[in-house]
Amino acid sequence: AGIGDYFVDSLLADTESLSLYAGIHSEHFGFFRLLGKTFPFAIYYLVGEGRITVCAILDMRRDPAWTRAELQTRSEAGPV
């Protein structure tokens, strides 16, 4: 019980850490990638024009080919 709340809180904390550490992570598939601290998820983001844009939060247990295709689809769609 409560694991869903813990999951969301953990990913939100990881995402909020980007306000301090954006741009220091390695690049993958054209995006910076922050690995989640607690769960096997990655936060893919871009840095530009004085802001951070989170493009995807994806499960790292997926096939890397699926991840690449998903990120390419999102980058072609442009900013929301």
Side-chain angles (χ1 to χ4, degrees):
I3 191 71
D5 292 334
Y6 181 59
F7 171 76
V8 171
D9 290 342
S10 176
L11 283 177
L12 284 175
D14 291 337
T15 303
E16 289 171 3
S17 75
L18 291 175
S19 65
L20 295 173
Y21 300 110
I24 68 165
H25 304 96
S26 59
E27 290 189 50
H28 298 270
F29 311 122
F31 297 87
F32 289 103
R33 182 181 76 181
L34 165 63
L35 298 176
K37 303 285 185 275
T38 307
F39 293 94
F41 280 75
I43 300 166
Y44 292 90
Y45 67 96
L46 297 170
V47 177
E49 301 177 20
R51 66 179 171 180
I52 304 157
T53 304
V54 174
C55 300
I57 300 175
L58 302 176
D59 191 337
M60 293 298 296
R61 298 170 294 177
R62 297 290 303 248
D63 180 0
W66 179 89
T67 300
R68 179 186 312 248
E70 182 66 22
L71 290 171
Q72 184 165 357
T73 299
R74 291 174 187 229
S75 67
E76 289 171 355
V80 176

